[in-house]
């Protein structure tokens, strides 16, 4: 066993001064894979190379345990045979390395590059002049392989923070430091630096593109010429520096454009759905084939579930349809519960409740633990009971908590409860420690489907809600509409008509008053909201309410729908605030007036 | 579109449930269905049951020592109380609660089983009043006491059920009172345990309350013994419990068996034996031991892996129908369908091959153990210290071709006489214990060697020099060993004369070598080995030690890996613009730092997608198309959010934060 030997060799003490760089180098070598190590391997029989050993030999006990190299080798061994595990990539460091600083325009550039990649008759994109600046053709060829190096090499460029003037100063040290470094920096690069400075005054936008393009051209041959070892060394030291760089300042360089200016941003769930239904699905043949592969496993899953394992599905794409097909083909004659983990109102309690519902239990339990114990006993008593649990998104917001996982785990560890679940989140496996994993007794199955997470994402409205954490216009209308009794009838009619029916006049009036007051005060930085008494006064004057109780009832309803927020001021008075962007409120009022 | 609940219960319509489908149907309906699948499944179940009961038996056996000493401790700890209570030291002891700290090791997953069997043993041997408390059962004081009371009453006093309910209610109101009731009700012996030390708050509360309240006299009425299960070191107790409490505990330590030893025993009894026909190939064994050594130290998991390999073997390998004991396998050659065996292979031939395979294994394990006797004492363990390492190496290839083996032989040639004799003795025992016919004369041969060494003693005066030299070697390290090897080489070249001992030693070494070369052939050289050996290491790793992050990464970066469409083929690091939306959005977001401007992102996305679309469709109006593209972008972004790559942020309007580092 070579690795044992090597390890032991390594343990021999040899005191010697080692510089930081050598240490890094050393670490890299070890990462470098088994080959480099093998060369250094000495065998016992090789008596030529006797190294002086310390008297106190290390205790052998721990020698056995950590044979990292060996481990990595074994795990990496069957890369070729692995057709399905997605392990084509080599090693984890490539997957999610440290963060480093990125240039803000990089994305746009990559986009234009990507737009070109198929190489078939691509003309300049007229829609977006900012992006389609001539990128040297040669950069395209090796862009993929050099990209990572590029990022590391021209990091000083990323230093350039907002003020453009700074860049001038920053570029010079970069080329300077390059010439100091081991690989030769060409003269032309220095010249370019000057050229860049010159150009800068003329056109900033074009410049930034050009710098990148030029750097790409320059850096590529340089990288190739250097021996790989030096490159590596360079790379790590940069990696470290960049990591700290990226984390040192809180300032992030991005453009200030906002979605508000784009009219398209205002999509609600329904229109989104309608729009997406127009998209013709691509690669349907391949997707179908992929799905068929998974479906062939259904019988195996059933078998393994019955033998005491539980099954977890992972991989890109919604696994909802797959599980649904599994349910319809295999579980028709069995008692089963489908749990939509992505549903925002889901909780362990509701899962347990449906289990007790299956067992025909009437009555309530004092706590979740009592309920769990009751279920456990019930299932242990009656071995003929069988229950299938299908959980979509076991890793959802609501279920990922430690306690929830513990309880679901305990459920799944029961012999006659069979659990088949799907996970999607990148870090989902972190939910489970060893104890929980042994409760779950998972068998992992990769089921990459590339299906869209339509149902899963329909609850969070992500892009629409997230920008400011407040309600967007469409939701505002939606919510207000839902307050009226006749709202449901108008649901499927067009938007115009819906607007006519927003709220009962009184409700609407009350709300509009509040909006107006808030907009009047939008320039006042210390505005904390409208005090309740004032508001009541205004409402009375407008004949909207006749008592302070009616107003309060109205406000409660608003508050329940998160349309307003109340805050106690320092003087103990209640202040009312609409937690919505002022811009949206203005839009809302405009629309409102149009309709009326 | 919105559903109002997250859970849907489906109950089959008919009142009387149909008798569930027999499991073997799922087995036979799978991909590799064949006529004998039923037989295969039955064989699987049989072997698995045997293996399972064997592991349970082993577990029991290994825990026996520990449990015995624990029981002894429990029985003596309280009897000492009354004997010398006038004594000063007895007085001290009276104030203390006898406590056993059970160090169980870091393999947390195995603790459950150990503690369960311990509870059983205690209930049978010491007292029926045993409460096992687990951290997961007791999130708060209420549950803690409830569990304590209920589990007591359920077992022992059925008639006080009504009372118990009251008391449980009482507990919620007043813990104080319930403690009184506790001590009033149970004049008996009490044992509690509590693994993993997560109960810290409850336990300390409990102890403090109890001790404050019941001074010395209560300990008579309420003789309590605590057993703590600890994963790491007893220091934890002192860290978790306040000093006031821990000073009242009289702790005695008990150490459970190390999980590595446990693993060795399990391997020894399950795999290195002909008792179970099922075998693992080298890679599979490596993966299982690696998961054990690098991930969890859990025997439970190891057994699970073994179960899965067994299942996979029977499920996917049609020849596995012959994976059973020899007479049965011979009988089964009848059933074998024609297509498994080609025309050239007749039944009798198959039977003799099976027989050969059996003999091969019998010899194999004997010689393996024998070789292990020789190699496990050598300095630096060139062939590994544990027999499993040696086994892995022998499974992989011809062991005698490896450099390590050569160095083993070199080292063996340097052994002193008494060492060599001890090894031979051990080997002799190994061979004696078996009844294999073929190796019968091997035992005899070893005996002869031993006798010859013995006779050397009588004539040793002549060759004092060389012997003392080699004796001096036995305690040295590698450096000296190698040095002396060099010296001896020189010595030999100058004076060719060999002592009698050296000649004999040479004979022993070549004897061992010949044994190894004859019997330790790797299994894949044997005909029909595929009936017994499970070799699909990849499947195993995929299901036990999956890498979901890498799968996601590959799917996003290289869609061609999954969708075999030529349009998706690309060089590494690039994706074509016709790739699925989410891949494009992902690729673009890799170019950003911590924050991503949604507008920029969406524009970049639109650029890529428009370029891709231009090639096939130009009919739709541009405004409508832009809207559709925007919708696609929204979808891709919300999917990335669901996958955990980005999250909304309030740092800047219309920005999202990246949650992963770097780009590729």
């Amino acid at each position: 066993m070579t690795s044992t030997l090597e390890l032991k060799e390594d343990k021999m003490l040899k005191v010697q001064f080692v510089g930081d760089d050598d240490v890094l180098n050393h670490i890299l070598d070890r990462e470098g894979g088994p080959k480099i190590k093998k060369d250094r391997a000495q065998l016992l029989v090789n008596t030529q190379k006797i190294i002086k050993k310390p008297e106190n030999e290390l205790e052998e006990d721990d020698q056995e345990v950590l044979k990292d190299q060996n481990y990595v080798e074994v795990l990496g061994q069957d890369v070729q045979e692995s057709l399905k595990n997605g392990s084509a990539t080599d090693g984890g460091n490539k997957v999610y390395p440290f963060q480093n600083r990125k240039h803000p325009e990089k994305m746009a550039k990559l986009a234009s590059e990507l737009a070109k990649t198929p190489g078939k008759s691509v003309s300049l994109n007229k829609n977006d002049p900012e992006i389609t600046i001539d990128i040297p053709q040669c950069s395209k060829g090796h862009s993929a392989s050099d990209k990572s190096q590029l990022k590391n090499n021209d990091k000083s460029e990323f230093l350039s923070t907002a003020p453009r003037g700074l860049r001038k100063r920053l570029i010079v040290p970069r080329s300077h430091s390059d010439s100091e470094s081991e690989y030769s920096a060409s003269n032309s690069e220095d010249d370019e630096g000057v050229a860049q400075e010159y150009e800068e005054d003329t056109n900033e936008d074009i410049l930034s593109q050009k710098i990148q393009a030029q750097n790409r051209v320059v850096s590529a041959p340089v990288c190739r010429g250097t021996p790989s070892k030096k490159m590596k060394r360079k790379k790590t030291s940069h990696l470290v520096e960049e990591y700290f760089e990226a984390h040192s300042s809180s300032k992030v360089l991005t453009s200030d454009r906002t979605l508000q200016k784009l009219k398209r941003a205002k999509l609600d769930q329904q229109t989104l759905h309608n729009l997406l239904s127009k998209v013709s699905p691509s690669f349907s043949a391949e997707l179908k084939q992929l799905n068929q592969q998974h479906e062939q496993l259904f019988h195996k899953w059933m078998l393994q579930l019955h033998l005491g394992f539980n099954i977890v599905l992972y991989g890109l794409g919604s696994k909802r349809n797959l599980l649904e097909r599994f349910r319809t083909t295999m579980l028709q004659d069995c008692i089963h519960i489908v749990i939509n983990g992505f549903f925002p109102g889901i909780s362990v309690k509701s899962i347990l409740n449906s289990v007790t519902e299956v067992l025909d239990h009437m009555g309530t339990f004092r706590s979740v633990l009592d309920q769990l114990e009751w279920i456990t006993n019930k299932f242990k008593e009656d071995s003929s009971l069988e229950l299938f649990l299908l959980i979509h998104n076991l890793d959802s917001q609501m279920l990922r908590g430690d306690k929830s996982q513990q309880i679901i785990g305990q459920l799944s560890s029961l012999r006659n409860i069979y659990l088949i679940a799907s996970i999607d989140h990148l870090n989902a496996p972190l939910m489970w420690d060893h104890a929980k994993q042994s409760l779950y007794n998972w068998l992992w199955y990769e089921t990459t489907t590339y299906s869209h997470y339509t149902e899963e994402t329909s609850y969070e409205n992500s892009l629409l809600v997230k920008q400011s954490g407040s309600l967007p216009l469409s939701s505002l209308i939606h919510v207000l509409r839902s307050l009226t009794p006749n709202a449901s009838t108008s649901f499927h009619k067009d938007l115009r008509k819906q607007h006519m029916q927003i709220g009962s006049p009184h409700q609407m009036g009350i709300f509009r008053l509040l909006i107006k007051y808030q907009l009047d005060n939008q320039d006042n930085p210390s505005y904390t909201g409208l005090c309740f008494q004032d508001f009541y006064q205004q409402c009375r004057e407008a004949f909207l309410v006749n008592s302070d109780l009616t107003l309060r009832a109205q406000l409660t309803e608003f508050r329940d729908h998160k349309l307003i927020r109340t805050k106690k001021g320092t003087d103990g008075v209640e202040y009312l605030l609409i937690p919505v962007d002022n811009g949206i409120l203005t839009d809302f009022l405009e629309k409102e007036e149009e309709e009326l | 579109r919105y559903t109002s609940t997250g859970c849907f219960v489906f109950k089959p319509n008919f009142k009387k449930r149909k008798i569930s489908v027999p499991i073997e149907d799922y087995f036979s309906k799978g991909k590799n269905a064949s006529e004998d699948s039923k037989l295969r499944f039955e064989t699987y179940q049989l072997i698995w049951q045997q293996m399972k009961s064997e592991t349970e038996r082993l577990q029991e056996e290994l825990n026996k020592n520990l449990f015995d000493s624990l029981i002894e401790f429990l029985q003596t700890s309280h009897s000492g109380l009354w004997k010398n209570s006038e004594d000063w030291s007895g007085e001290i002891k009276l104030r203390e609660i006898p406590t056993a700290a059970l160090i169980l090791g870091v393999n947390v997953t195995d603790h459950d089983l150990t503690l369960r069997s311990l509870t059983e043993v205690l209930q049978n041997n010491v007292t029926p009043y045993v409460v096992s408390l687990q951290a997961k059962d007791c999130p708060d004081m209420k549950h803690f006491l409830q569990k304590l009371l209920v589990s007591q009453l359920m077992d022992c006093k059925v008639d006080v059920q009504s009372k118990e309910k009251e008391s449980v209610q009482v507990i919620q109101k007043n813990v104080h009172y319930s403690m009184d009731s506790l001590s009033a009700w149970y004049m008996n012996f009490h044992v509690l345990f509590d693994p993993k030390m997560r109960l810290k708050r409850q336990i300390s509360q409990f102890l403090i309350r109890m001790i404050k309240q019941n001074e010395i006299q209560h300990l008579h009425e309420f003789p309590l013994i605590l057993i703590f299960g600890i994963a790491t070191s007893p220091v934890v107790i002192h860290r978790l419990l306040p000093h006031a409490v821990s000073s009242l505990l009289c702790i005695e330590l008990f150490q459970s068996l190390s999980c590595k030893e446990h693993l060795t025993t399990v391997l020894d009894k399950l795999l290195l034996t002909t008792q179970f026909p099922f075998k693992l190939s080298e890679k599979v064994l490596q993966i299982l031991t690696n998961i054990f050594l690098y991930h969890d130290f859990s025997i439970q998991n190891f057994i699970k892996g073994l179960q899965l390999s067994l299942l996979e073997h029977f499920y996917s390998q049609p020849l596995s129908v012959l994976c059973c004991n020899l007479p049965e396998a011979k009988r089964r050659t009848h059933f074998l369908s024609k297509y498994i065996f080609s025309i050239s292979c007749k039944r009798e031939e198959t039977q003799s091959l099976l027989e050969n395979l059996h003999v091969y294994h019998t010899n194999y394990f004997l010689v393996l153990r024998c070789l292990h006797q020789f190699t496990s004492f050598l300095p630096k363990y060139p062939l590994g210290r544990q027999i499993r390492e040696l086994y892995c190496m022998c499974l992989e290839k011809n062991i005698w071709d490896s450099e390590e083996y050569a160095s083993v032989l070199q080292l063996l040639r340097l052994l002193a006489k008494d060492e060599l004799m001890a090894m031979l003795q051990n080997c002799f025992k190994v061979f004696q214990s078996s009844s294999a016919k073929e190796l019968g004369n091997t035992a005899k041969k070893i005996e002869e060697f031993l006798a010859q060494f013995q006779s050397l003693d009588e004539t040793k005066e002549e060759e004092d020099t060389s012997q003392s030299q080699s004796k001096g070697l036995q305690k040295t390290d590698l450096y000296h060993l190698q040095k002396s090897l060099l010296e001896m080489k020189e010595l030999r070249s100058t004076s060719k004369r060999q002592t009698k001992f050296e000649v004999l030693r040479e004979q022993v070494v070549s004897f061992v070598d010949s044994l190894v070369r004859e019997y330790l052939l790797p299994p894949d050289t044997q005909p029909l080995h595929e009936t017994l050996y499970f070799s699909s290491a990849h499947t195993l790793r995929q299901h036990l030690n999956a890498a979901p992050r890498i799968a996601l990464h590959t799917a996003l970066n290289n869609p061609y890996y999954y969708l075999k469409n030529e349009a998706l083929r690309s060089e590494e690091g690039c994706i074509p613009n016709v790739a699925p939306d989410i891949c494009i959005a992902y690729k673009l977001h890799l170019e950003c730092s911590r924050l991503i401007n949604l507008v920029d992102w969406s524009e970049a996305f639109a650029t890529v997608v428009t370029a891709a679309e231009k090639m096939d469709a130009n009919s739709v109006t541009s405004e409508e198309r832009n809207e559709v593209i925007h919708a696609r972008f929204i979808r891709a972004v919300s999917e990335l959010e669901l996958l955990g790559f980005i999250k909304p942020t309030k740092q800047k309007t219309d920005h999202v934060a990246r949650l992963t580092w770097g780009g590729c």
Side-chain angles (χ1 to χ4, degrees), chain B residues 403-559:
Chain B
E403 286 155 325
E404 292 89 349
Y405 182 74
S407 72
V408 162
L409 288 190
Q410 291 268 23
L411 286 169
L412 282 180
R413 290 200 178 97
L414 293 173
L415 282 177
K417 200 185 87 181
D418 43 358
E419 276 179 312
L420 205 57
M421 277 180 75
M423 285 177 186
L424 279 175
Q425 288 281 8
N426 287 339
C427 276
F428 184 61
K429 272 179 216 153
V430 170
F431 281 113
Q432 243 182 353
S433 64
S434 83
S435 55
K437 291 162 222 157
E438 282 199 29
L439 286 165
N441 49 0
T442 320
K444 221 175 277 171
K445 194 122 190 229
I446 293 173
E447 218 172 356
E448 276 169 33
F449 277 129
L450 280 170
Q452 280 174 328
F453 275 119
Q454 219 94 83
S455 65
L456 268 183
D457 274 342
E458 289 140 31
T459 53
K460 73 173 176 184
E461 300 87 43
E462 318 164 17
E463 43 225 348
D464 241 345
T465 45
S466 68
Q467 226 167 305
S468 64
Q469 199 178 353
S470 42
K471 256 183 190 162
L473 278 175
Q474 58 182 328
K475 292 281 178 196
T476 60
D477 51 11
L478 182 67
Y479 166 66
H480 287 113
L481 207 62
Q482 287 179 324
K483 199 173 159 193
S484 57
L485 182 68
L486 253 187
E487 281 167 4
M488 279 169 76
K489 255 189 189 163
E490 284 164 15
L491 203 80
R492 215 168 287 166
S493 57
T494 49
S495 60
K496 283 267 176 183
R497 194 180 66 95
Q498 272 187 317
T499 61
K500 257 190 185 172
F501 167 70
E502 279 170 337
V503 175
L504 202 54
R505 188 171 56 188
E506 190 59 42
Q507 277 175 0
V508 172
V509 172
S510 56
F511 168 69
V512 172
D513 189 37
S514 68
L515 273 185
V516 168
R517 279 167 197 266
E518 192 177 346
Y519 295 109
L520 284 189
L521 291 160
D524 47 10
T525 59
Q526 302 298 313
L528 285 183
H529 74 273
E530 61 272 23
T531 57
L532 308 184
Y533 282 84
F534 173 67
S535 57
S536 170
H538 170 65
T539 334
L540 199 64
R541 191 160 73 88
Q542 209 182 19
H543 296 323
L544 291 181
N545 198 10
R549 281 172 73 116
I550 293 191
L552 260 188
H553 176 86
T554 315
L556 288 168
N557 262 306
N558 185 10

Side-chain angles (χ1 to χ4, degrees), chain A residues 8 53-60 63, chain B residues 380 477-478:
Chain A
K8 284 161 194 167
K53 275 201 315 177
E55 300 303 304
N56 51 341
E57 177 97 37
L58 280 154
E59 187 50 50
E60 302 107 349
Q63 293 188 343
Chain B
K380 292 271 179 190
D477 51 11
L478 182 67

Side-chain angles (χ1 to χ4, degrees), chain B residues 71 75 117-130:
Chain B
I71 289 172
Q75 279 167 343
S117 54
L118 177 61
T119 320
E120 234 168 70
V121 168
L122 291 182
Q123 267 167 349
N124 293 337
N125 297 330
V126 186
T127 165
Y129 304 102
V130 180

Side-chain angles (χ1 to χ4, degrees), chain B residues 241-470:
Chain B
L241 298 179
H243 182 70
V245 175
S246 61
S247 64
L248 287 164
L249 299 176
C250 170
I251 300 176
E252 193 155 325
L253 283 182
F254 293 88
Q255 177 87 46
S256 79
L257 189 78
S258 107
C259 49
K260 265 194 288 171
E261 275 169 58
H262 196 160
L263 177 72
T264 312
T265 331
V266 167
L267 275 178
D268 200 54
K269 289 285 183 315
L270 290 184
L271 290 176
L272 300 176
T273 167
T274 46
Q275 192 192 342
F276 300 107
F278 177 68
K279 300 277 176 293
L280 297 177
S281 78
E282 183 253 342
K283 272 186 195 167
V284 175
L285 187 60
Q286 283 273 55
I287 282 179
L288 285 183
T289 45
N290 278 337
I291 290 177
F292 177 85
L293 288 175
Y294 297 95
H295 287 263
D296 47 14
F297 288 118
S298 162
I299 297 291
Q300 294 279 81
N301 261 353
F302 185 83
I303 305 278
K304 172 190 168 188
L306 205 60
Q307 186 192 0
L308 182 66
S309 349
L310 190 69
L311 178 64
E312 278 289 330
H313 181 60
F314 279 99
Y315 188 78
S316 55
Q317 170 65 270
L319 276 179
S320 61
V321 71
L322 291 179
C323 183
C324 51
N325 55 22
L326 184 62
E328 178 66 21
K330 276 181 171 177
R331 208 173 54 77
R332 281 186 190 177
T333 49
H334 289 281
F335 298 123
L336 283 179
S337 35
K338 286 155 221 153
Y339 63 86
I340 293 182
F341 288 103
S342 54
I343 323 122
S344 61
C345 199
K346 297 204 180 68
R347 225 192 93 210
E348 292 77 28
E349 256 176 88
T350 323
Q351 287 186 344
S352 76
L353 283 178
L354 282 171
E355 217 160 293
N356 286 348
L357 197 62
H358 184 76
V359 173
Y360 160 80
H361 276 124
T362 325
N363 295 337
Y364 189 94
F365 293 123
L366 277 176
V367 175
L368 187 75
R369 278 172 219 276
C370 168
L371 181 63
H372 180 65
Q373 291 301 333
F374 280 105
T375 57
S376 58
F377 295 103
L378 292 178
K380 292 271 179 190
Y381 313 105
L383 283 176
R385 205 157 153 241
Q386 304 283 349
I387 195 162
R388 67 179 134 84
E389 296 167 72
L390 184 66
Y391 183 47
C392 267
M393 256 185 278
C394 294
L395 284 177
E396 193 190 357
K397 57 183 182 201
N398 290 337
I399 182 86
W400 55 88
D401 289 339
S402 67
E403 286 155 325
E404 292 89 349
Y405 182 74
S407 72
V408 162
L409 288 190
Q410 291 268 23
L411 286 169
L412 282 180
R413 290 200 178 97
L414 293 173
L415 282 177
K417 200 185 87 181
D418 43 358
E419 276 179 312
L420 205 57
M421 277 180 75
M423 285 177 186
L424 279 175
Q425 288 281 8
N426 287 339
C427 276
F428 184 61
K429 272 179 216 153
V430 170
F431 281 113
Q432 243 182 353
S433 64
S434 83
S435 55
K437 291 162 222 157
E438 282 199 29
L439 286 165
N441 49 0
T442 320
K444 221 175 277 171
K445 194 122 190 229
I446 293 173
E447 218 172 356
E448 276 169 33
F449 277 129
L450 280 170
Q452 280 174 328
F453 275 119
Q454 219 94 83
S455 65
L456 268 183
D457 274 342
E458 289 140 31
T459 53
K460 73 173 176 184
E461 300 87 43
E462 318 164 17
E463 43 225 348
D464 241 345
T465 45
S466 68
Q467 226 167 305
S468 64
Q469 199 178 353
S470 42

